[in-house]
Amino acid sequence: MPFRVELPQTFADRVAGLGDGEHLAGMWVCSGSPVAAEIAAASGMQWVLIDAEHSPIGLETTTSLLRAMNGYPATPVVRVPVNDTVLIKQYLDLGAQNLLVPMVDTKSDAEAAVAAVHYPPKGVRGVGSALARASRWNAVDGYLGRADEFVSLTVQIESATAVDNAAEIAAVDGIDQIFVGPSDLAASMGLLGQQTHPDVTEAVTQTFEAVKAAGKPVGVNAFDPDQARKYLEAGASFVLVGADVGLMMNGARAWAETWVQG
């Protein structure tokens, strides 16, 4: 009898399974290192973001990182470089089940992302799963008919325009979660590098309210521990609180301060 594969639970399913007051804590992998990805997955963090937008991580590297994380309890989420149908198809086919699409500013942007992750008639995803890791080369029984079960879509609100459109974006059918990016949001507000400026944090919490009113979970990036706790208190269901490269640099600098003379 041929061996059949069952794919892991999606990020959307994990978020939906949270109880009152619970959240998922995660970290970034930006280095492109499978060792770093495996360490992150084994660390106890509940989810890990593979960043293909601002890091030197392409399709082949993403595949290697997903394989390195396979079998660990942390859920991998892949941030694609851009809201592009062709790229999204490729990331899905290589086996990225959980996608984060950046720079979604409008309802039409959100609708385009939804279409890209679904097969016709719901969307426009190209059909090539029999040749791809997504279906484990047809080892997942009935993959085409069940593909929607295996994909989670999060879109990123990270501009003043997107904040204004947050309710419409969150209401789009097929959007599972919203993720708020304070860094680009601050830049779009003329506050570059000031992620914890009161105007920025107010815009973030305003977005939380709009998203939750639409019945969708919301998450946020917050490397400042105090700010992360405030966002959790404000209703964030998932947070990113660190990155592999940042942790390594901070640790290395602290070690150098301890041991380097002069």
Side-chain angles (χ1 to χ4, degrees), residues 227-250:
Q227 193 61 55
R229 293 185 185 97
K230 289 177 182 177
Y231 285 144
L232 289 171
E233 291 170 1
S237 295
F238 53 100
V239 290
L240 287 173
V241 292
D244 59 344
V245 291
L247 292 169
M248 184 175 181
M249 176 57 82
N250 291 340

Side-chain angles (χ1 to χ4, degrees), residues 193-253:
Q194 300 181 60
Q195 293 93 309
T196 58
H197 188 284
D199 291 347
V200 177
T201 58
E202 182 180 353
V204 172
T205 54
Q206 175 187 328
T207 304
F208 283 11
E209 292 169 3
V211 172
K212 289 189 293 181
K216 300 290 176 69
V218 63
V220 67
N221 186 58
F223 284 9
D224 179 276
D226 291 336
Q227 193 61 55
R229 293 185 185 97
K230 289 177 182 177
Y231 285 144
L232 289 171
E233 291 170 1
S237 295
F238 53 100
V239 290
L240 287 173
V241 292
D244 59 344
V245 291
L247 292 169
M248 184 175 181
M249 176 57 82
N250 291 340
R253 287 171 65 91

Side-chain angles (χ1 to χ4, degrees), residues 104 106-108 110-111 114 122 153 155 157 162 164-178 207-217:
V104 171
T106 65
K107 178 182 178 181
S108 61
E111 290 171 338
V114 171
K122 185 174 181 178
L153 177 61
V155 299
I157 285 179
D164 290 340
N165 295 325
E168 286 189 350
I169 293 169
V172 171
D173 185 32
I175 300 296
D176 295 308
Q177 297 87 214
I178 299 292
T207 304
F208 283 11
E209 292 169 3
V211 172
K212 289 189 293 181
K216 300 290 176 69

